[in-house]
Amino acid sequence: MIELTGVSKIFNEGQPNAFPAVDGIDLLLPSGEVTLFTGPSGSGKTTLLTLIGCLAKPSMGRIRIDGQAVSGLPERFLTALRRTTFGFVFQKFNLIHGLSVLENVMLPAAPLGLPRQQVMRTAMEILEKLDLTRKAHARVEWLSGGEAQRTAMARALINRPRVVIADEPTANLDSRLGSAFLQIIADLRHDGHTVLISSHDPLVLHAPVVERVVTMRDGRIVERG
Amino acid sequence: MPTPWIERQAAFIDHAVRAMGRRRTHQIGLWLVYTLLVFLLASVMLFAHALRHEARLLLQDAPELVVQRLEGGRHALISETHLQILHGIRGVGTITPRLWGYYYDPVSRANYTLMTPPANPPPPGQMTIGAGVSRVSGLTSGDLFSMPGSDGIKRTLVVRDLLSAASELVSSDLILMNAADLRPLLGIPAGWYTDVALTVAQPREVNKVAEKVMQRMPDARPIQRQELLRTYHALFDWREGILLTLLGVVLLAFAILVWDKASGLSADERREIGILKAIGWQTGEVLAMKLWEGTLVSMSAFLIGYVTAYVHVFVTPAPLIGAVLKGWAVLYPEFVLTPRVEGLQVLTLFFFTVFPFIAALVIPAWKAAITDPDAVMR
Ligand SMILES: Nc1ncnc2c1ncn2[C@@H]1O[C@H](COP(=O)(O)OP(=O)(O)O)[C@@H](O)[C@H]1O
Ligand SMILES: [Mg+2]
């Protein structure tokens, strides 16, 4: 369960160009559900996901994960949460160029100190599920949009996170790949993952796998469903 | 638990190596400049140190006082009569008349020093040669060597053995032989000598003794060991100063290179650190990875630069810097320095090259790693 109370993020706080990208959000996200954050561009979806995923700290308010307050924790604990609790699929994928698909996928496990063979086996299993076995040793800069996205998804899953966060996952995909992505989400849901997606793609908005829709505008929640 | 630690470091090293592989050309260029710098600095340091040590050895064995005689400003021989005068001076310890001279060998175009050692000279007809003489002339034990004497008659000697000495600088150009062979070669009649080495009963009175020698023997020129020492050092320090100044310029160039690296991570590197942080690498883990990168580059550059410098100075006759530093010994045939390495010197060089480099690599990475990774989301 993720719990937000009065969460705000003000960019350039205290300066003339201060801007509240997220403005006083109260929200409850039960475990094991698929939630979609929707709303026009600039409404604060990405910013809110960064705050939930501990990639940035809120300017105000409190975030609790399974009852534990995380907003005030030192950086080191937030990093540990990013490593084990969250798996991110970034909008631009953020794969590291020059490395292979497999190497990218193994990267979040590097600091864990597990035997390399074991990490590699896990990575290959995930790649197989995502239909990427053939591409395991290809350099990521030569991947197609759909392959890059599934690589990013595989990397997000390597440390078996409870929460998977995907920012605008279908923005770079055609509708066929978009549907394939929704199937992956359904599988994650089935395996008990909590999934948070931001998107203004109607394909995602009307997908049956989405259980909960949070609509945002100007940093506030305008509708819950 | 050591195993996870090793697995973690192995993973960091693995990533560091891959990261370097992606910037191959840049990395190799940097590594070469780095290795060259270590090589040059280490060459000068090793060379200067070994040479200074050899000079010290040379002077340590030198007599406290050498008395030469001048006639009309020219070097003249010393006779038994002069030795008697010296015997009469109070404060003089032992008196050792010496027989020596130079021989220019037109074949190998080198100057050799011919000498009769005061103790255990080779038997007549035989000679012992220094390592430099052997190298330049190609002579070894059993070979014959002819030199024309001052009377124009050639004399042939057989090489008995090579001089084994702690210092090649001292012994490199020496040819030792019996007085019976040396006298006709140099044209020095029996009862006459090249100069005289004196010991002084009270080392502190060496000045006084030198003065007395001048009074009793107006045509004498006493030379004190201290004066030699000062001359060597003045000349040598000056040359080393020039070289170190030049190297300072090189070091400055290196500093600029390092600064260039320190003052800006490329956008790619910054992005990569952001990604690593976002997927759960701790700041310390990003730094560990960078530390490995710096260690691999700088340690390999340092080791290879230093070993090459060692070979350059002690195995080959230091062709790159020898000409400058050895200047005062130009009369000698080529010589190879006896290996001498000083721990403190190695450490100094290590601190001045390895640490700035690693710092220049790690500090900007650290700055990038402590900022919020949320920027990678956009
Ligand atoms: N680092 C930043 N500094 C200043 N303004 C920002 C920054 N990041 C985002 N914003 C602003 O915050 C608002 C919300 O952005 P974002 O969360 O990316 O919206 P969305 O994902 O819904 O399109 C936008 O107006 C954006 O310009
Ligand atoms: Mg967005």
Side-chain angles (χ1 to χ4, degrees), chain A residues 163-182:
Chain A
V163 185
V164 175
I165 297 177
D167 191 23
E168 307 280 358
T170 57
N172 296 294
L173 306 182
D174 60 32
S175 62
R176 187 180 57 83
L177 288 171
S179 305
F181 171 78
L182 288 169

Side-chain angles (χ1 to χ4, degrees), chain A residues 76 82-83 94 97 103 111, chain B residues 8 18 280 282 285 376:
Chain A
R76 163 164 77 86
R82 291 201 292 275
R83 174 185 300 175
N94 282 327
H97 290 187
E103 285 159 359
Chain B
R8 275 157 52 89
R18 281 173 214 280
Q282 296 282 3
E285 290 159 352
V376 302

Side-chain angles (χ1 to χ4, degrees), chain A residues 11 46-47 49-50 55-57 75-76 79-80 82-83 88 90 92 94-99 103 107-108 110-116 155 167, chain B residues 3-5 7-8 11-12 14-15 18-19 22 24 271-272 275-283 285 369-378:
Chain A
F11 288 111
T46 297
T47 307
L49 290 183
T50 12
L55 285 164
K57 291 179 188 177
E75 170 59 24
R76 163 164 77 86
T79 309
R82 291 201 292 275
R83 174 185 300 175
F88 297 93
F90 305 103
K92 300 230 167 84
N94 282 327
L95 300 173
I96 294 183
H97 290 187
L99 300 186
E103 285 159 359
L107 218 44
L112 297 182
L114 302 169
R116 191 182 159 77
R155 184 178 66 183
D167 191 23
Chain B
T3 316
W5 189 87
E7 294 285 353
R8 275 157 52 89
F12 297 148
D14 192 63
H15 188 71
R18 281 173 214 280
R22 275 176 286 145
R24 210 169 296 126
R271 175 174 166 273
E272 181 176 331
I275 295 172
L276 290 177
K277 286 284 306 205
I279 62 176
W281 282 43
Q282 296 282 3
T283 302
E285 290 159 352
I370 53 170
T371 49
D372 277 348
D374 65 328
V376 302
M377 284 288 267
R378 293 163 209 283

Side-chain angles (χ1 to χ4, degrees), chain A residues 10-27:
Chain A
I10 301 167
F11 288 111
N12 309 314
E13 203 169 1
Q15 290 170 34
N17 61 344
F19 181 82
V22 164
D23 197 359
I25 295 227
D26 298 307
L27 188 63

Side-chain angles (χ1 to χ4, degrees), chain B residues 255-292:
Chain B
I256 291 168
L257 192 96
V258 160
W259 175 246
D260 174 59
K261 205 146 170 42
S263 51
L265 285 181
S266 71
D268 260 2
E269 288 169 293
R270 204 182 295 280
R271 175 174 166 273
E272 181 176 331
I273 290 174
I275 295 172
L276 290 177
K277 286 284 306 205
I279 62 176
W281 282 43
Q282 296 282 3
T283 302
E285 290 159 352
V286 173
L287 295 190
M289 189 264 291
K290 279 286 167 189
L291 210 59
W292 278 117

